[in-house]
Amino acid sequence: MGARLRKLLDDLRRTFWVLPALLVLAGLLGAEGAIHADTAGWAPDWLKERLYSGGETGARTLLGAIASSTIGVTGTLFSITIAALTLASSQMGPRLLDNFTRDRGNQVTLGVFLGSFAYSLVVLRQVRGGEDNVFVPQVALAGAMVLALLCVALLVYFVQHMASRINIDTVIELVRRDLFNALDSLTKEAPDAPPRQEADWSGADQIRDDRHGYLQQLDEDVLADWACEKEVCIRLLVRHGDFLMPGGVVALVSPPAEGAAEAINRAMALGGRRSAAGDLEYSVRQLVEVAVRALSPGVNDPMTAMTVLDQLGAALCQVSRRHFPTGVSVRDGRPVLVRPVTDYDGLTDAMFDMIRQNGASSPAVLIRMMEVLTLVAEQERDRSRLKALRRHADLALSDGRRGFANSADVRDLSQRYRRFRNVAESGGPARRATPARI
């Protein structure tokens, strides 16, 4: 599947209107099907009488009430949704709005209400009166009543659903799921085998791209197959989530080959914002943004930042049993495509740097960060990864010594740091630390 097609499908999954539009279409087709069942006599007379026994006036009144009430409540649902989006944008960050717009519960609720409105209008225009031309679609009217009851149930569900979705802990849990899914899909259970030979970049041709935007999709397999066919090696200089400047160098090709620029251009799909597809740091930065906003002077909520640190630590514990890809695509034992990828150092930098910088004066946050690093070090046996964890522990200790006003807080942080060092150097489990003072 091409990069541009995958980008289109990913955009459609994030679009708010697709599922409601499909449900409205289902409502229109359902109304036509129910009317056809009435005119064709598919339902026996005794069943029709049980479904609806009123006359033409009652049918018009019933359908009008359903149509007017559903479209009225739909306006209320829109107002609630916009209010929730405004609150989420101001308190948790605008990049978290995708979690609300792509939420299936919101989309289904809106779609069922609009579909019920469309269904009622289609059925209403078929109700006829008069002495010789009376037609009351009893099966279709029964369907309208079922949809009305379904709308009542969905209204209760929607109120509860939105109340829970704007809870900060729920938002953190949703982003945590996205992060864990990205870790499962973008890391491997076994390390990549190294190529039998190294690529030679002497005399490589620079490939420029006149487009601009964030790299959202990259078709590595197609690009690697093209490079194998042309007997060249491509070294990409950008990765998922990077912003491409117009005319910037995006790749090197060795040896130079005709059509390389077109092949690389086709393999990359750009967009106006970063996307979770293929970008391991995207969900990390969403969680970090929640923590950074919680640490701002206007909010001052260190508990939320500590919750984010717990989730980031859980993600690193999951990574401890997996391997990062090398970014080298091999064909016939030789490298044909080399691309930059996220490694453990980059992942931990994205997780902890901004939280530490914004929480340098908060003892509770830095102490909890040190405890999380200790818990991760208990499960991590790779020496290079432990070195990265120690670097962040050293930075947290240094910032705490400069930023804490109380010497007792500095002692508490130093105590956690010594415990981290013991775990990182000996590989033994850490004793449980006393809770941080808040």
Side-chain angles (χ1 to χ4, degrees), residues 11-337:
D11 290 341
L12 289 178
R13 280 194 295 267
R14 295 203 308 263
T15 302
F16 185 69
W17 58 266
V18 174
L19 184 56
L22 293 176
L23 291 175
V24 170
L25 179 61
L28 295 174
L29 297 178
E32 293 292 346
I35 293 171
H36 180 71
D38 277 295
T39 56
W42 289 355
D45 292 338
W46 64 268
L47 180 59
K48 289 184 178 181
E49 291 296 327
R50 290 181 178 273
L51 293 177
Y52 179 79
S53 58
E56 172 263 338
T57 303
R60 290 183 180 274
T61 303
L62 176 63
L63 292 171
I66 294 175
S68 60
S69 60
T70 52
I71 197 63
V73 174
T74 301
T76 303
L77 296 183
F78 266 117
S79 300
I80 295 175
T81 303
I82 295 300
L85 293 179
T86 303
L87 177 63
S89 176
S90 61
Q91 296 294 325
M92 307 173 209
R95 275 158 290 279
L96 291 172
L97 294 184
D98 279 348
N99 294 309
F100 291 87
T101 56
R102 70 182 181 183
D103 180 75
R104 296 305 183 197
N106 298 341
Q107 296 176 6
V108 168
T109 302
L110 179 63
V112 169
F113 271 90
L114 292 177
S116 300
F117 172 74
Y119 180 98
S120 300
L121 287 184
V122 172
V123 176
L124 180 60
R125 70 184 181 88
Q126 294 294 331
V127 178
R128 298 189 296 272
E131 297 181 357
D132 300 328
N133 193 24
V134 177
F135 178 67
V136 179
Q138 294 166 304
V139 174
L141 283 166
M145 289 186 286
V146 171
L147 288 176
L149 295 176
L150 178 60
C151 288
V152 172
L154 282 177
L155 178 60
V156 177
Y157 160 78
F158 181 80
V159 173
Q160 185 274 334
H161 182 69
M162 289 302 297
S164 64
R165 276 303 174 103
I166 61 177
N167 183 285
I168 186 66
D169 291 328
T170 303
V171 174
I172 291 175
E173 173 63 18
L174 292 173
V175 181
R176 195 274 307 170
R177 293 178 188 174
D178 292 340
L179 174 58
F180 274 53
N181 291 334
L183 290 173
D184 288 337
S185 61
L186 299 178
T187 59
K188 301 181 178 181
E189 295 182 357
D192 289 337
R196 293 197 296 266
Q197 63 186 68
E198 297 292 333
D200 181 14
W201 302 109
S202 58
D205 188 20
Q206 293 184 346
I207 303 300
R208 299 179 181 272
D209 197 324
D210 294 330
R211 299 174 297 169
H212 69 278
Y214 290 97
L215 179 57
Q216 293 185 348
Q217 295 285 349
L218 175 64
D219 204 341
E220 301 97 342
D221 292 336
V222 172
L223 191 57
D225 292 339
W226 182 90
C228 180
E229 179 184 350
K230 299 295 183 179
E231 297 183 349
V232 300
C233 186
I234 300 174
R235 180 179 181 181
L236 292 178
L237 304 180
V238 294
R239 64 178 181 177
H240 287 91
D242 284 351
F243 189 85
L244 276 65
M245 296 295 181
V249 178
V250 297
L252 302 176
V253 179
S254 176
E258 184 179 357
E262 292 77 7
I264 294 173
N265 182 282
R266 289 194 304 268
M268 297 192 303
L270 308 184
R273 57 179 180 174
R274 295 184 68 167
S275 171
D279 188 356
L280 187 55
E281 297 181 9
Y282 179 81
S283 298
V284 171
R285 295 190 182 278
Q286 283 189 311
L287 277 175
V288 170
E289 183 174 3
V290 174
V292 170
R293 284 179 174 267
L295 293 173
S296 63
V299 179
N300 191 22
D301 180 16
M303 292 298 297
T304 296
M306 295 167 68
T307 301
V308 170
L309 286 171
D310 291 339
Q311 299 292 357
L312 295 176
L316 287 179
C317 289
Q318 180 177 346
V319 170
S320 66
R321 298 180 292 272
R322 299 183 67 84
H323 300 269
F324 288 86
T326 61
V328 180
S329 298
V330 179
R331 297 290 188 274
D332 299 328
R334 70 178 186 88
V336 294
L337 175 64

